[in-house]
Amino acid sequence: MSELIATRLGLRIGLAFAGLVLLTLLFGLLMGNEINHSYQQLAQELSRQHRAYSSVQTLRADFGDLRRFEKDVFLAVDIPEHASFKWRQWNQELNQAYVRLGQLEQTLPEQKPLALAQLRSALDEYKNGFLTVAEQVLAGRFRSAEEANRAFLFRRTFIHQYQNAIDALIHYSEQQEQLLLRQLDEIRVRRLWQLAGALCTLLIISSLVAVFITRNSLRVGRELEYQATHDSLTKLLNRRGFEMQLASAHRGAILYLDLDQFKLVNDLCGHSAGDELLSLLALRFGRLLPAQASMARFGGDEFCIFLPNADASHASELAQQLLREIQNYPFVWQGRLFSLSGALGIAIADGQQSLREHIMRADTACAIAKERGTGQIAFATEVDQQHHQLQSQMSWAAQLPQMLQQDRFVLFIQHMQALKSTGAPHSVPDHAEILIRALDEQGEPVPPGQFLPAAERFGLIGKIDRWVTRTILQQALPPHTIYGINLSAASLGDHAFLHTLRDWIQASPTPAQQWCFEITETAAMTDIQAARHFVSTLKQLGCRFALDDFGSGFSSFSYLKELDVDYLKIDGSLIRNLERNASDLALVTAVVQMAKALRLKIVAEFVENQHQLEILRDLGVDYAQGYAVHRPAPLLIQPVKET
C-alpha cells in the first residue's frame, strides 16, 4: 500500500515536475520568440536605414556626374552637336537622380527630415538654372566655355545647398542608426532582467531555458552588430565600423579610392554586375594590403584604407599598386569588356586631428585627383596649401583698401634690351615696363605675386589699376622710351575707367605715343567686345598696346586678328628652359614667325642668361626683358595730385 502511495506520489511529483518543465519551456519559448520578434523588427528598420544611407551616397555620386556633364556641355560651346549630345547625357543623369530621390523618399519614414525637401529643392533649382544656360549654349549665344561658366556662377549656391542637404541626410541616418542600436541594448537589458526573475522562480530547470534564450539573444545581437558595422555586399567594414575600429589610431596614412567606370557598368549591365565588380575588387585589394591595414567600403564605388604608422612614401607606393590593379583588371560581363580606372586621395594622420577629419581631407584630395583625370593621385597637403593660400589672400584683401588710402605702394621700372641694332641713335626707341610693389608696415617692398592674386580674386584689382595709371600718367618721363603699363580684365570692361583714363592721358605731360598698355590674352578674351573698344579708343590718342603673357592662356593665333595690338610678349614659361627644352624652342619659333607675318614687335619675358639672349636674337625677337637685361629698380616720381 505504501509502495502504491509512494508510486502515486512519485507520479504526481513527476507530473508536477514535468508540468513545471513544460511551463518553463513554454515561458522560455514565448520569451525567446518575443525577443526574436523585437530584434527582427529592429533589424528590418536598420536595413531600411542602410538602404537610405546607400541612396544618399548614390545621389552624391550622381550629382558629381551631373557636374561633369555640365562642364562637358560648356566645353562644347563651339560644337553645337557635341553640346546637344552632352546635354542629353546630362538630362538622362538628372532623370536617374530624380528616380533615386523618389526611392529615397519612399524608404524614409512618414515624418521625413527637412533636409530631404531641401535636397529636392536644391536639385530643382539646379535643374532650372542649368536648363536656362544650356538652352543659351545650344542656341549659340556664348562665344566660349568661360562665358557660359560665368552665366552659371550662381550654381555654387545650389551646389552648397545640395551638399549640405546630403550631409544632413547622412547625419540623420547615423542618428537613426545609433537610436536603433540603443533600443536593441534596452530590449536586451529588459529581457535579461525578466529572465533573471524567471531563474529565481523556476530554479534549475528555468536556468536551462535562460541559457538557451541568452545564447539566442547574444547570437542575434552579434548578427545585428555585424550588420551595423559591415558592408553586406563585400563583407568589409562600413564607415561606422571603420571609425569604431580605428578610434584609438592616431598616426598613419588614409587612402580614399573612387572608381571611375563603376556607374557605366551599373547602367549598361545592371546592379548585379556592379555588385560582382565591387566584390571582386575588394578581394583583389585585400591581397595587396599588409596584415595590419584596415579597409572599408563607404558606399557606392568608394573604398577607404588605413595604414598604421605609414608615411607618404609608403602610402604613395600602395596607392600606385591599387590603381595598377584596377587598370590591369579586365572585367567581363556577358561578353562585354570594361576598362576600369580610379582616382585616389591620401591624407597623413599625424595625431593632431581626428580620424574623421583626416578621412574628409582624403576624400577632398580624391576629388581633386578625379578632376585631373583617370589614374591620378593627390595628397591632402595640396588641399591644405590651397586653404593656406586662400587665408593669405583674404588677409591681403582686408589690408589693401587701407593701403590704397595711405598710398603704401611704389612704382618700379624694368628696362628692356633691343636685340636688333640699327646703329643710329634713337632710331629704335627704348622700352621699359612699369611695375608695382606694395610697402609693408616696415616700409619694405612686397612683390606683386603676394597681393595681386588677392586683389583679382576679391575685386580690388580695378582700384590698383587706377592708382598705377593715375600716378604714372602725372609724371614727365624721359623721351625716346615706350613705357608699358599693365591693365587687368576688370579695367578693360569698366567704361567709366576708360573715360577717366582717356582724360588722364590727354592731360599727361608725357606724350600718349610713349604709353603702351599691356593686357593679357586671358583678360582680352574675357570680353572681346569691350577689349576691342578699349584698344581702339586709346589708339586714337596715339597709345600703343601689347598682348602680354602669350602662350599661358588661350594661345589661339586667331585671337590676334580681333585686337589691334603692336607688341606680342611671349610668356616667361616658354623662355625659362629655352636652351634645354626642344618643345619650348619650337613653340617660340612658331610664335615669332606668326608675329612677323602679322607685323608685330616681339618681346621675350623672363630672359635670365646670355645664352637665351643669343637664341632669341637668332630667332628674330625684337626685345628681351628679364634679369639678364635689367633688374627692376625703384622709379623716382613726383607727388601725385588728387583728381
Side-chain angles (χ1 to χ4, degrees), residues 411-468:
L411 295 180
F412 275 53
I413 187 169
Q414 185 178 31
H415 291 281
M416 307 178 195
Q417 178 179 331
L419 300 182
K420 297 179 180 179
S421 177
T422 61
H426 305 308
S427 59
V428 176
D430 294 332
H431 288 72
E433 182 177 353
I434 304 300
L435 306 172
I436 186 173
R437 301 288 188 269
L439 295 177
D440 61 18
E441 294 180 353
Q442 286 73 39
E444 295 296 325
V446 179
Q450 293 190 24
F451 62 89
L452 284 185
E456 292 177 348
R457 182 166 192 164
F458 294 98
L460 299 170
I461 190 65
K463 294 182 178 180
I464 292 180
D465 283 349
R466 282 178 172 268
W467 187 92
V468 172

Side-chain angles (χ1 to χ4, degrees), residues 606-630:
F606 289 90
V607 180
E608 297 178 349
N609 56 62
Q610 191 66 30
H611 190 187
Q612 292 174 350
L613 276 173
E614 295 303 325
I615 294 175
L616 294 170
R617 181 179 285 110
D618 293 340
L619 290 177
V621 173
D622 297 287
Y623 298 95
Q625 179 181 358
Y627 284 0
V629 175
H630 178 249

Side-chain angles (χ1 to χ4, degrees), residues 39-40 42-44 46 181 184 219-229:
Y39 274 117
Q40 289 172 1
L42 289 174
Q44 293 174 357
L46 193 59
L181 291 175
L184 285 173
R219 178 182 60 81
V220 174
R222 284 193 296 269
E223 291 177 356
L224 289 174
E225 184 68 22
Y226 183 87
Q227 293 178 14
T229 56

